[in-house]
Structures are given as C-alpha cells and as structure tokens.
Amino acid sequence: MKKNISVLLLTIALGSMACTSKVKKEDHTAKVNMTESAEIDSVKATFSTNLRPNESIFLNQTYTDTIEFLSYEDDFDYAMLIGKKNGKGLYLIYDWYLETNEKYIFKYGDLIEVKWKMDSIIIDCEETFDVRERIIDSKLILATNKPVKFLWRAVKDDKLLDQKDNDMIINESFCKSITNQEKVALGYVASFIGNDCFWDGKANEDRSNLKCKILTALNLGYQCSDTHYGFLKRWFSQDSSVLKKLEVCHTMPETATVQTTFNEIIIFTDKAHKKIEVRYKIQGINMRESKTWNYTKTDYFKYDSNNVWLTKSQKSELTE
C-alpha cells in the first residue's frame, strides 16, 4: 500500500494519465487554494463527501460518523471499506490488516462508527493524485438484525440480441462477509432449484461440470461436486434427514425442458438464538407443455459452531 502523505505537492499536471487507475472513482467537489510553492493550502482547502453532504470538509481534520457496513474490497490500488449512509454509497480507504484485527471484522448491514479524515493519495502509477476519505479507526455500534435480500431479478437490455433479459442478481457484498452457517443454508436451498446453471464447456459424461450462479457466488464449485455436496454433508453430519436427501444430486441446466428457478431469496440470521431463515420465491416452467407455476417456501435452520440442522420447511400452495 502506498505511503500516506500529509501535504500534497503538485509535481505534475493534474490531467496526466500515464496508466489506468484502480482507485474507486468518487464525486468529490474541492475548493483548492494553492500557495506559491504549488502546495495545497491545508487550512483553506475544502471538500465535499457523501458522509456529510451539507458540510465543507477540511483536509486532515478528524470526523466521526455512523454508517452501514456493506463489505471490504481490495481490488483497487487502496483497500476500501464499502458502506452506505442516507442511501448514498461510500468508499473509504482503510489501512488495517483484517487477519490480525478481529475488531474490524463486520457483517453486512452492521452499523459501525468510523473516525476518518480527508486525506491525499497518489494514484495512476504515482503520476497524479486524489483526495479521499481515509478511516483512522472503526468499531461496531449495532450488529445487523434484519433480513438481507440475497437474490433478486432485474430486467436488463441485451443490445447484442436486441432483447430484454430477466437477469438473476446476487448480493455480492453480502457474500464477502457471509458465515459458514449462512453459506450452508443458502447452499442447501440452491441444491434443488435451478440458478442460472450452464455446462462449463461441453457436459462431462458424469455431468460433473455444471456451473451455477449461486454456488459460484458462494465458492461451492460445480453442482453436486465434493466442494458443494461434501461441504453440506460435513455441516449436516448430525441431521440424518438432510443427509438422506443429499444421497442423490440432480443437475438442472438452463436448457432442461422442465425446470425451476429463483425469483427472490431473503435470508435472516438470528444470532442471539442461532437460527437462520431462508425465504424464497420459485418459478417453474414446462417448455414442452407451455406451462408455468409459482410458489414460495421458507426453510428454517438452527446452528452451532460446527453443525447446522434443518428444523422445518413451509411451502405455499402452487399457483399457475
């Protein structure tokens, strides 16, 4: 990670772009005052931010705010904590190592306090600069205790085929802070319903290379693989009824004549009582007979540190 600099020197033209930046782009409005030595006047320079949209923010001054945590992202030049406040997205630079700082391990939807400052950073292979929110410290205020939408559908334009597609969308931010128990519950549900499954290349003779959207998001490999079913069997090792159901695995590619798929999945984790609910809406289709049907279902789980049990399933009446 690049070194923090307290005073930003303009040694190059602001528009210099020698290589592509991987810093998350944000809309920062700055009123920058320059001194004769081409330094930013840190006393007079002001900036705007989604953290405090109605205030003028000064360089290197410490502020404290409460935000909703979504995820961490380390695919940029600087590691980012992604959050939300008043419906606006936030991308805040942080400097700690999660592996050695358990206090900074937050869950999707947690309310956290962040102490931060507006700080200068170097981007574009150190040939230009930006000013961003950098977190000095953070702590948990309130653990999330609300349902999370894990999957939904969105209509998107396919310009190549000149048509509209009803795409399956996964909550990727939630996946980055998911617990093993939540992964088990969602992986179990996805084992029996189609979820944008396609053969990875040509189908193997043993049908062992079916790639499905939910399982991929959960890092559970191909449908029916040991990564998928082996993981579930280890966590359900004390639940004989689920193990019996997992004795057979059915592959369901998108090309199947009769198939089901998800329209929505909502997961709720009750940490205090160690329970998980997964509520989902299903649509089925028989292409040969031009028939469709819909139903909703809720699976209830309990868990401890090593095991998960399916305690109950409730299914609505089928509707054509």
Side-chain angles (χ1 to χ4, degrees), residues 105-108 150 174-189 214-215 217-220 227-237 267 269 271 274-276 278 301-309:
I105 298 178
F106 307 120
K107 286 284 295 173
Y108 180 93
F150 171 75
F174 174 74
C175 292
K176 292 177 181 177
S177 60
I178 194 171
T179 65
N180 277 327
Q181 292 87 344
E182 290 166 334
K183 183 185 291 190
V184 170
L186 291 168
Y188 172 82
V189 168
I214 293 177
L215 299 181
L218 298 175
N219 292 318
L220 290 179
T227 304
H228 172 208
Y229 260 37
F231 176 77
L232 295 182
K233 289 177 179 178
R234 286 191 291 275
W235 278 93
F236 283 116
S237 62
I267 182 170
T269 303
K271 298 183 180 69
K274 296 187 176 180
K275 295 180 180 180
I276 297 173
V278 182
F301 305 87
K302 67 178 183 179
Y303 65 88
D304 61 21
S305 58
N306 298 304
N307 299 280
V308 177
W309 296 264

Side-chain angles (χ1 to χ4, degrees), residues 17 31 48 65 87 107 110 157 174 234 237 249 256 260 267 299 303 309:
M17 295 290 290
K31 298 178 181 178
S48 65
D65 286 277
K107 286 284 295 173
D110 285 348
D157 291 323
F174 174 74
R234 286 191 291 275
S237 62
C249 184
T260 55
I267 182 170
D299 289 336
Y303 65 88
W309 296 264

